[in-house]
Amino acid sequence: MSADRPDSPSDGPSGRKGGDGPDPAAPGTADDTPPPRADGPPPDADAPPPGGDVPPPGTDAPPPAGEPPAGDGEHGKRRWSPRLTLPGCWGALLLACLSFTPSLLPRGGVLQGLIAGISGAIGYGLGVVAAFVWRAFADREARPAARRSWQVLAVAAVVLFGVAFGLGQYWQHEIRGLMGVTDYNALTTVACPFVAVLVFWLLLLAGRGLRRLYRWAARLLGRWVGEKAAKAVGWILVAALAWSAFSGVLLAGIVNAANEAFSLRDTKTPEGVHQPVSPLRSGGPGSLVPWDTLGYQGRAFTGSGPTAAQIGAFTHRAAQEPVRAYAGLETADDTERRAERAVADLQRAGGFERANLLVMTTTGSGWVDPAAVDSFEYLADGDTASVALQYSYLPSWLSYLVDQSKAREAGRELFDAVYGVWSKLPQDHRPRLFVAGESLGSFGGEAAFSGEYDLRNRTAGTLFAGPPNFNTLFREFSDHREPGSPEIEPVYREGRTVRFTDDPATAIPPADRPWDGTRVLYLMHPSDPIVWWSPNLAFSEPDWISETPGSDVLGSMVWIPFVTFWQVTADLPFSTGVPDGHGHTYKAAYVDGWDAVMRPAGFTPQDLERLKEIVSPPE
């Protein structure tokens, strides 16, 4: 029998794999063939060696070049940490180093470590994607990096991170000097690299977990649909699951927990505040709004403020006791009814009979900056009435992220309720109607108006401080500013109604043009992250960075994709933790701001300086 017959045991489906010798089963060849071994067939000189293309039975096939070894796979021995790639590590190193560049506010070591870790994780992902794209164009598979390449990375990491860390400390020192910040914690500075590494690994492990989930979903779907469809649907499912877990579980859980915590605080009364004994305040005698429904911030608003005697001592003129009306979340079930109750109480206290009426939109928790209302009352000799309402339990920065619709509704309902009563009064018996709001309060305050002419026609003046970047009118006025005017101090339609300034004590641009009739003034510091934060920071450079920086922003601040977004995001919770006149702290500026908007008579620059010390005493 011929050795190359079709049914020869040495023939495989892809051709002959054995030698050219005689077939051991052929007649007359038994003496030339060694007996079969007890443990299997005779060795074949051309058979693939162990670890070749055909793995031994019971083992996994080795991965292709550039892939993790079997110990890192689904069926192999698990590693204690995910395998890293060289391109990803270079991306992580570069973005982590760039995260030390200056932002708007001074940062502590822990916060800087958080930013560096997030930036490093983003850089790692970008490095991996860049390598994948390059290999696709080069039409080759991934290859393991040489030991020397890792050594170069290690040396570069020590040098670059050390230089970036040192420069970062220098820039932070300069920022603290610009703002007069003296606090410095060396321990948190030392902890910065460790925090960065921890955050990086946590984010990387989370990403790898999502990738494993995707692969599992793709394999499962592959039983019923094609491979490409299974991969596409798998990615969609995992992305939707991750987003749902973040927004519906994690974020919602944080918001619900914060609501519970701050709702308990809302039942308390600030230290030193007592229920008013004046009928001119909500919660006082004869009030339509019970004291225990005002909430923490409402009790602070109606239970404090300057008296007629204090105002008279400052102005050296006869003064009146201001009217203050307020409605808390417990006052009524919905925003419209709360606004109606607040306005009814305002009317009961004689608020519409005063010379000046202020509609104040609060921040989320119902907070009203005392400096904003106190300045208004002092400059009007107490002949004022102010009204506000609460729409959330959450503090300002958290309301800023999740309660925007409530702020819009509160601002619109409150102004409309006030305007409904005010507009029916005889023209010669109407008070001058003003609007104000800080931060999210400015967002709600804008909601009642359609634009410049609406503000001009329905108010006697408006003062907004620290407007969030997403404010509709603020963005309209800023985006359509006159060519050549900077974003940090834009000029809109020759400044005929709307103007912007960092320091209202100086000439408000355009100083050489008339500012007649209703005045609308925006106060915004160049270093206020709430004014400048936007999701667009991740992908595009804003004008306020490319232009000449403001007085309290370092000229060395530059825009870096993704990095700048996280830097300014991290500034948000700490925006009020800087001295007055910087960040999101507006106190003394209200004195000059109201002086510019109201144009009261009889106050000298020295008087205004004295008033600043009253509403914003030095610490």
Side-chain angles (χ1 to χ4, degrees):
M1 182 181 295
S2 171
D4 56 357
R5 65 181 182 174
D7 58 346
S8 170
S10 60
D11 282 341
S14 56
R16 179 182 179 120
K17 295 181 71 70
D20 294 332
D23 189 333
T29 61
D31 293 341
D32 298 330
T33 305
R37 295 178 3 176
D39 58 349
D44 191 341
D46 294 332
D53 292 335
V54 180
T59 64
D60 291 332
E67 293 293 324
D72 296 327
E74 295 289 338
H75 307 293
K77 182 180 178 181
R78 306 287 184 185
R79 294 173 62 93
W80 70 275
S81 62
R83 171 185 281 273
L84 299 175
T85 69
L86 188 66
C89 287
W90 274 110
L93 174 62
L94 292 178
L95 258 66
C97 290
L98 290 173
S99 71
F100 286 92
T101 56
S103 183
L104 295 173
L105 301 178
R107 297 193 294 261
V110 174
L111 181 60
Q112 177 60 64
L114 176 67
I115 298 171
I118 293 174
S119 300
I122 294 173
Y124 184 88
L126 292 175
V128 171
V129 170
F132 174 81
V133 173
W134 185 87
R135 288 196 305 270
F137 279 98
D139 194 23
R140 71 168 182 81
E141 298 295 327
R143 295 177 297 189
R147 181 183 297 272
R148 182 175 296 276
S149 298
W150 288 106
Q151 293 172 343
V152 170
L153 173 66
V155 173
V158 172
V159 174
L160 293 178
F161 194 86
V163 171
F165 185 82
L167 287 174
Q169 299 311 304
Y170 169 73
W171 285 320
Q172 289 302 309
H173 173 74
E174 283 196 316
I175 295 175
R176 290 194 297 269
L178 283 177
M179 299 187 179
V181 177
T182 57
D183 293 340
Y184 177 75
N185 192 321
L187 183 61
T188 60
T189 301
V190 173
C192 172
F194 301 97
V195 174
V197 171
L198 176 62
V199 172
F200 171 79
W201 278 111
L202 289 175
L203 292 176
L204 189 62
L205 288 171
R208 293 293 174 87
L210 290 176
R211 189 177 68 177
R212 286 180 181 275
L213 183 61
Y214 150 71
R215 289 176 174 174
W216 174 82
R219 285 198 301 269
L220 185 64
L221 291 169
R223 299 176 181 178
W224 297 285
V225 299
E227 179 182 0
K228 292 183 178 180
K231 290 182 177 180
V233 175
W235 268 122
I236 294 173
L237 290 176
V238 170
L241 178 64
W243 175 250
S244 299
F246 174 76
S247 61
V249 178
L250 180 61
L251 185 59
I254 293 174
V255 172
N256 289 336
N259 254 318
E260 290 293 329
F262 286 102
S263 65
L264 294 176
R265 179 177 182 266
D266 208 49
T267 62
K268 301 178 181 179
T269 301
E271 184 177 355
V273 173
H274 303 284
Q275 184 173 0
V277 295
S278 169
L280 302 180
R281 304 293 179 97
S282 291
S287 174
L288 302 178
V289 181
W291 172 254
D292 58 1
T293 69
L294 291 174
Y296 184 90
Q297 300 295 354
R299 287 188 281 273
F301 177 69
T302 65
S304 62
T307 63
Q310 291 172 325
I311 296 173
F314 167 72
T315 61
H316 304 294
R317 294 190 294 264
Q320 301 184 53
E321 182 180 350
V323 174
R324 291 191 177 188
Y326 193 95
L329 280 175
E330 300 300 321
T331 303
D333 294 334
D334 58 62
T335 305
E336 183 178 359
R337 292 182 181 178
R338 284 195 297 274
E340 291 174 352
R341 291 286 295 275
V343 173
D345 205 38
L346 175 70
Q347 194 170 14
R348 174 203 61 81
F352 288 93
E353 299 169 11
R354 295 302 178 96
N356 303 280
L357 174 58
L358 174 62
V359 179
M360 189 81 189
T361 308
T362 68
T363 61
S365 61
W367 178 75
V368 175
D369 192 334
V373 181
D374 291 359
S375 301
F376 181 79
E377 293 169 343
Y378 272 105
L379 292 175
D381 293 323
D383 193 5
T384 65
S386 304
V387 60
L389 61 81
Q390 179 187 17
Y391 53 84
S392 174
Y393 293 122
L394 301 178
S396 180
W397 69 271
L398 194 51
S399 298
Y400 171 75
L401 297 176
V402 301
D403 273 348
Q404 296 177 22
S405 61
K406 293 181 181 179
R408 182 188 296 109
E409 182 184 18
R412 184 171 52 244
E413 293 289 352
L414 181 59
F415 182 84
D416 287 348
V418 171
Y419 192 79
V421 176
W422 178 89
S423 61
K424 296 175 183 177
L425 298 175
Q427 290 191 9
D428 56 348
H429 287 83
R430 293 175 181 172
R432 293 197 299 168
L433 183 57
F434 295 91
V435 174
E438 180 175 328
S439 189
L440 200 58
S442 71
F443 174 74
E446 283 189 358
F449 305 94
S450 60
E452 176 197 10
Y453 284 113
D454 202 17
L455 282 164
R456 186 182 186 95
N457 294 334
R458 293 206 291 162
T459 72
T462 300
L463 183 61
F464 289 140
N469 197 261
F470 54 72
N471 276 21
T472 303
L473 297 186
F474 170 64
R475 282 265 47 96
E476 177 185 337
F477 300 150
S478 182
D479 292 343
H480 294 87
R481 64 187 182 273
E482 293 183 6
S485 64
E487 188 174 14
I488 61 172
E489 208 167 44
V491 174
Y492 178 74
R493 295 187 178 179
E494 300 183 340
R496 62 189 182 188
T497 301
V498 181
R499 297 197 178 188
F500 304 81
T501 187
D502 168 30
D503 184 6
T506 60
I508 301 174
D512 59 340
R513 300 178 190 176
W515 196 13
D516 301 324
T518 296
R519 292 185 174 187
V520 177
L521 180 61
Y522 283 87
L523 303 176
M524 51 190 203
H525 296 146
S527 58
D528 187 351
I530 288 181
V531 175
W532 309 118
W533 181 89
S534 168
N536 295 332
L537 278 173
F539 306 104
S540 60
E541 181 180 10
D543 293 339
W544 60 270
I545 291 183
S546 60
E547 296 168 348
T548 303
S551 58
D552 57 353
V553 175
L554 288 183
S556 50
M557 182 178 179
V558 295
W559 176 77
I560 303 167
F562 301 106
V563 174
T564 301
F565 170 78
W566 286 111
Q567 287 178 322
V568 178
T569 300
D571 287 337
L572 292 176
F574 309 97
S575 58
T576 59
V578 291
D580 187 18
H582 304 284
H584 197 59
T585 306
Y586 302 86
K587 292 188 181 299
Y590 278 115
V591 173
D592 293 308
W594 278 125
D595 181 62
V597 172
M598 297 173 67
R599 289 166 282 183
F603 292 97
T604 66
Q606 292 74 22
D607 292 333
L608 298 180
E609 290 300 320
R610 287 194 299 117
L611 184 54
K612 291 177 186 177
E613 294 178 0
I614 295 174
V615 302
S616 179
E619 298 180 358

